[in-house]
Amino acid sequence: MKHQPDYFREQFPYSAPPRVLFDGVEVPTAMPEDIFITDTTFRDGQQARPPYTVEQIVTLFDYLHRLSGDKGVIRQSEFFLYSEKDREAAYRCMEKGYRFPEVTAWIRAVKKDFALVKDMGIKETGILTSISDYHIYLKLGLDREKAMMQYLDIVEAALTAGIRPRCHLEDVTRADVYGFVVPFVQRLTELSEQSGIPVKVRLCDTMGYGVSYPGAILPRSVPRLVHALREETGIRSEQLEWHGHNDFYKVMTNAATAWLYGVGGINGTLLGFGERTGNTPIEGLLFEYMGLTGDMSVDTTVITEIADYFERELGYHIPPMTPFVGKQFNVTAAGIHADGVIKNEEIYNIFDTGKLLNRPLGVQVTDKAGAAGVAFWVNKQLGLKGENRLDKKHPSIQAMTAWVADQYKDGRTTSLSDMELLGAAKHFLADLF
């Protein structure tokens, strides 16, 4: 086994942004029949925000269960076990008796931690098995041979204890795929076959370096990484997970790419909370899953309930432009867009957000909204439909639009609140009240 570290400096110069290099080699897609989501809201997701209370964890776990549905779209949820509070939260969630998501653990790569897992009756645990030379040599002070022996020793201890080990290949998109990743996973596959216990592998794009581009080279190429593991190690898709980070804005694209090329599970968190730039948001994964499979069994309105809970109970202000959960994600401010929406909301709405998210399309009224925007707001707020809807040319709408313009004569830059608009509507449309 190679003993000199390889830091792939042609791709990771550090003094400049990482390079994407190409050799033109492409591999075929191989999306599994069964794709699913796993959750790390209470593990990685808690590393980037104030810790949740036990009651908050139990409430969020209930939401995850509702999102998962009977098919188990969200298959598992991962918990710390180190503190008494961590263990109480895991116990409380296990006591729910839900089939999905299954409670799993995350521990350090030390044998004594398996006692925590076994004592609680948890059947699967994640184990940190850092895989790049950056981590093996620079962080752990080991070489590849010693790291391999240490990791396999821990995995064997888990199997002896009757626990399903899930090896987290930290920093896999900076690792020597054929020099170390493949040989390690080959050994894991052998141990899995010998023990009869499936050893899982989580591919951790720890720094968000992964790319989906056809013809890109390893270790950054998500398609070629997944292809290499499936072809060279014999590991099954249901044993493979992808865990991404959003450092380069690629977290959703890389997740979908991992599915397309043969990974069974994508690991994510509610609202994308996670180390630094965050993990793959589960709400985004659910819509990606539905788009790839056509499975409409997921009650996506729960996503809006979760967003409301984060803002109301946890005091988290969701950035307004955040897809699916931000207050502005389906609100148009342009008058020309509002004009199109009045004719047919499909023109400027990504899907029926009223049905799928319990979030009807909205219009933000400013001096840019025009008469079309004012008409849309009035019709929506007053529930005017069909023949009762007011056209943008209606005299009262025109008068109210002029009033809106007046509010901005002195340099106002904020949008008008619903209370302000309601007051104006009562004045200009008194007959409707």
Side-chain angles (χ1 to χ4, degrees), residues 387-407:
E387 294 180 355
N388 294 322
R389 290 174 64 88
L390 299 181
D391 185 80
K392 66 179 180 178
K393 296 179 182 179
H394 190 283
S396 296
I397 295 294
Q398 290 290 319
M400 188 169 168
T401 303
W403 172 84
V404 169
D406 284 342
Q407 309 311 302

Side-chain angles (χ1 to χ4, degrees), residues 404-416:
V404 169
D406 284 342
Q407 309 311 302
Y408 289 86
K409 283 184 176 179
D410 295 327
R412 175 172 177 159
T413 57
T414 57
S415 60
L416 290 160

Side-chain angles (χ1 to χ4, degrees), residues 80 141 211 215 250 326 430:
F80 280 127
V211 295
K250 294 181 171 67

Side-chain angles (χ1 to χ4, degrees), residues 166-230:
R166 185 181 62 244
C167 294
H168 292 202
L169 307 192
E170 185 180 20
D171 205 28
V172 72
T173 48
R174 280 195 299 183
D176 186 343
V177 174
Y178 284 100
F180 191 60
V181 179
V182 165
F184 178 53
V185 176
Q186 285 173 335
R187 289 288 294 118
L188 294 179
T189 304
E190 291 170 7
L191 289 174
S192 185
E193 292 173 351
Q194 291 166 9
S195 66
I197 298 174
V199 178
K200 293 186 177 180
V201 171
R202 181 176 291 178
L203 304 173
C204 301
D205 186 16
T206 306
M207 306 295 285
Y209 287 128
V211 295
S212 60
Y213 312 137
I217 67 173
L218 290 168
R220 297 188 67 187
S221 169
V222 178
R224 290 170 73 171
L225 171 62
V226 176
H227 180 80
L229 291 177
R230 293 182 66 255

Side-chain angles (χ1 to χ4, degrees), residues 81 91 113-123 160-163:
L81 296 182
Y91 270 128
D113 282 4
F114 286 116
L116 286 172
V117 182
K118 193 162 187 178
D119 289 348
M120 291 189 64
I122 294 175
K123 298 177 181 178
T160 300
I163 296 167

Side-chain angles (χ1 to χ4, degrees), residues 283-292 300 303 324 351 356-357:
E283 59 275 12
L285 285 172
L286 285 167
F287 281 103
E288 196 73 22
Y289 165 86
M290 293 163 70
L292 289 171
T300 47
I303 292 171
F324 309 133
F351 50 69
L356 295 177
L357 288 168

Side-chain angles (χ1 to χ4, degrees), residues 226-259:
V226 176
H227 180 80
L229 291 177
R230 293 182 66 255
E231 291 297 313
E232 301 294 336
T233 72
I235 193 166
R236 300 193 304 274
S237 292
E238 60 266 29
Q239 293 171 260
L240 280 175
E241 285 184 33
W242 176 264
H243 171 94
H245 284 261
N246 202 32
D247 297 76
F248 293 92
Y249 284 102
K250 294 181 171 67
V251 71
M252 275 302 307
T253 299
N254 285 338
T257 299
W259 262 334

